[in-house]
Each structure stands twice: as structure tokens, then as C-alpha cells.
Amino acid sequence: GKWHLGYHGQEKWPLQRGFDRYYGIISGATSYFQPKEPRGLTLDNTPQPTPTDPNYYTTDAFTDHAVKFVREHSGDAPFFLYLATHGIHVPRVPHARFKGTSQGGIRGDAIHELDDTVGQVLAALDRLNGVRIPHTGERRCDVRRQGRQFGGVVPEHRRGVRRAAPAGRDGRARD
């Protein structure tokens, strides 16, 4: 997926940072439909050609690679899968099959797409025992503000959820 943790200098790339496999965009952002140099695709440490399939879409490709990685996992050995799509990040360009699926506009449609991606990975993980799944984002979500920003539309599973007040420098919660 989206690496965006150092493009210049291969020592900053995923395989040099402890990952065994990598498929995605080292530079962090690219065209959703036709990623090409200098912001092209990389498999492990090898730049990949620009996709020629007219149906290519980065989020789908990242998801497919993640699901394949999980399905190829054998035994009880632990593994770590880091999947960072850039579909939820601006500029948001949800796939056509998700456009208009939410009441939250393009951002809501992109969230539906992310839900689908996570669902596909969870389905692949279902066959494994003892799976731990941390899900993080790069920005803290304030559901109350999100509801106002999108006309009061808050996903049903988040309604009534109140995030804890962020801790101050002394570690105590602030009001």
C-alpha cells in the first residue's frame, strides 16, 4: 500500500526496515488508476511497470495482495500484515462501484470502500486462530465533529461513541 516513510534512499524502504514483502507506492501517493514513475508501483524492491489493465485500481490491487499474503500463510508462525490504502486520504477517489453509496459524499464513499477492503482481509483471516487486528488511522476521529461536518450522518456503529479526552503532558485527561 501507501508507504510514504521515505522514498529517496532505499535504506528507508520497507524491506530495509524489516518487512519480508512489499507491494505498493513507496512515494506515498500516485494515480489511483495508472500509477507510473516517478510515483509508480514497487514489488519488494523492484519497480513495476505501469499497469495497462483499464480496470486497474490501486486500492483493489493492494487489497488483493494483502489477501493473497494471508492465504499463502501456512502454519502457526506469527506474521504481521501492514495494509495502508491511500483511498481514504485526500484526494479521495473512491472506485465507481462505491460512488454514491453513502450519505457522507466522497469521504463517506471512501469509508465504505475502506470497510470493504477490511472485510476482504478479515474474511481471509477467518481461517487462522489467534489473530489480533489493530486498526489505526493517521488522524484522530472526533465523531461529534464528523457528524456536524457531514450533515449529522454518523455511521450507525459509531453513534453514541464518545472518544476519551486527550491526555495532557502530565498524562491526566483534559476536559
Side-chain angles (χ1 to χ4, degrees), residues 103-121:
Q103 296 176 348
I106 290 176
R107 183 172 190 270
D109 296 350
I111 291 170
H112 278 186
E113 183 175 67
L114 178 62
D115 287 347
D116 181 72
T117 293
V118 171
Q120 290 181 58
V121 173

Side-chain angles (χ1 to χ4, degrees), residues 76-136:
D76 293 327
F79 68 91
F80 177 78
L81 170 68
Y82 173 74
L83 173 60
T85 70
H86 72 294
I88 197 66
H89 196 284
V90 292
R92 293 181 189 96
V93 184
H95 193 282
R97 69 181 178 274
F98 292 98
K99 288 184 180 173
T101 62
S102 78
Q103 296 176 348
I106 290 176
R107 183 172 190 270
D109 296 350
I111 291 170
H112 278 186
E113 183 175 67
L114 178 62
D115 287 347
D116 181 72
T117 293
V118 171
Q120 290 181 58
V121 173
L122 290 176
L125 289 168
D126 273 349
R127 67 177 184 78
L128 304 175
N129 295 320
V131 174
R132 304 277 190 286
I133 304 167
H135 183 263
T136 64

